[in-house]
Amino acid sequence: MVDDTPWLALVVGNSRLHWGSFAGAQWLGGWHTPHLTSAQGHALMTQGFTPQTWTSLAAARPELDEPELPPMMADFPELWLASVVQAQGDVWRTYAQSRVVRADQVPLGHGYPTLGVDRALALVGAGETYGWPVLVVDGGTALTLTAGAEQRLVGGAILPGVRSQFRALHDYTDGLPLLSYDLAHLPPRWATSTAEAMTSGILYSQLAGLRDFITDWWQGYGQGQRAGRVVFTGGDGPALASALTRQNPAWATSIRVDPDLMFWGLRVCRQRQTQQ
């Protein structure tokens, strides 16, 4: 029997909510919102996540885009939830149809107690979609690298994301401005202004660090059918991948970009749990 049950996936990130819509295993679409207040979350849940409720929320908050919910999405769908922010995650746990997924429930071997559920989901989503071994580079508030082989965690690294590094220079030094950045147009490496020097230091060191980690990954998993895949995800993921492949054109065929890895991981978790 084919499962076409409508359900929502929600990953609570450090700065945004990531939403996905499914019918069984079929992907219907995704969107992102800022964190919502308890009252706004309560309105969505008590009214069954209907398009009308999203419309009213968007009208009240100009920064909140109204998602185009698929027409086949039923009212009061299952909500499969993973959260890295406890207070925001607690908002959605009161929904009767919610199914909370913890890191230790993600089918990934060799994890450790403090492994973030977002990293575990993205790694399993990448491995199940593109094959193992795989390295996931998530360019979010934190830049994380998470590697796995044979559905087991190999290891990884965490450092401040690009935006967080610019924010840190502004917040913790006297007189340095808060800058925007554009990874599509890298500054001169040897800068002659403070703004360009900040941008050069952050962007080139970020890219150099990624090159070093990816090169080391391929040295360990780079042969034949076991060649290690590399998949970028997260808000800055596409721009980081593009900048790297401009610097290293031969990498263009070896690096993928997929913004929805965490949703693929939640889909795996739902399939495993509903089959038990």
Side-chain angles (χ1 to χ4, degrees):
M1 182 177 178
V2 176
D3 175 21
D4 59 359
T5 303
W7 60 282
L8 289 176
L10 171 58
V11 178
V12 178
N14 289 300
S15 57
R16 293 193 299 170
L17 302 178
H18 309 284
W19 300 87
S21 179
F22 290 86
Q26 181 185 359
W27 172 246
L28 301 178
W31 63 97
H32 310 275
T33 70
H35 287 176
L36 301 179
T37 66
S38 295
Q40 291 164 337
H42 182 72
L44 277 172
M45 291 183 287
T46 56
Q47 298 181 45
F49 295 94
T50 62
Q52 293 82 1
T53 313
W54 284 103
T55 299
S56 63
L57 281 182
R61 291 184 61 173
E63 78 279 17
L64 179 63
D65 293 330
E66 178 189 350
E68 296 181 2
L69 293 177
M72 65 186 299
M73 177 56 65
D75 295 350
F76 298 99
E78 296 176 8
L79 177 67
W80 287 73
L81 165 69
S83 177
V84 299
V85 182
Q86 182 172 344
Q88 182 65 201
D90 288 343
V91 171
W92 309 99
R93 288 183 173 88
T94 61
Y95 180 56
Q97 291 278 74
S98 68
R99 307 288 188 273
V100 180
V101 176
R102 304 185 311 270
D104 61 2
Q105 295 173 312
V106 179
L108 179 69
H110 294 174
Y112 52 88
T114 58
L115 177 65
V117 66
D118 53 340
R119 295 177 65 199
L121 287 172
L123 182 59
V124 167
E128 294 297 310
T129 303
Y130 299 105
W132 304 89
V134 64
L135 168 66
V136 173
V137 182
D138 190 340
T141 304
L143 177 67
T144 65
L145 299 98
T146 313
E150 298 177 352
Q151 211 164 329
R152 295 181 176 87
L153 177 70
V154 170
I158 303 174
L159 65 154
V162 178
R163 191 177 307 278
S164 298
Q165 292 190 47
F166 279 103
R167 170 63 69 179
L169 278 181
H170 171 68
D171 288 350
Y172 297 113
T173 57
D174 187 22
L176 292 183
L178 179 60
L179 301 176
S180 58
Y181 59 92
D182 182 2
L183 283 159
H185 301 92
L186 295 177
R189 187 181 295 270
W190 303 105
T192 56
S193 71
T194 297
E196 284 190 342
M198 293 168 62
T199 306
S200 172
I202 291 173
L203 297 187
Y204 285 111
S205 62
Q206 189 86 292
L207 293 171
L210 287 173
R211 280 199 305 275
D212 184 71
F213 271 97
I214 292 171
T215 299
D216 186 80
W217 170 245
W218 281 333
Q219 286 175 351
Y221 293 90
Q223 302 298 320
Q225 294 299 314
R226 288 179 50 80
R229 296 151 181 84
V230 178
V231 187
F232 279 70
T233 193
D236 280 328
L240 287 168
S242 177
L244 274 175
T245 54
R246 288 199 308 274
Q247 292 182 331
N248 308 272
W251 287 15
T253 58
S254 303
I255 289 178
R256 296 178 180 268
V257 175
D258 189 332
D260 299 314
L261 292 181
M262 288 185 290
F263 295 135
W264 309 153
L266 272 175
R267 178 170 58 188
V268 170
C269 291
R270 181 180 180 273
Q271 290 171 335
R272 298 291 178 88
Q273 292 189 29
T274 55
Q275 290 170 1
Q276 291 177 354

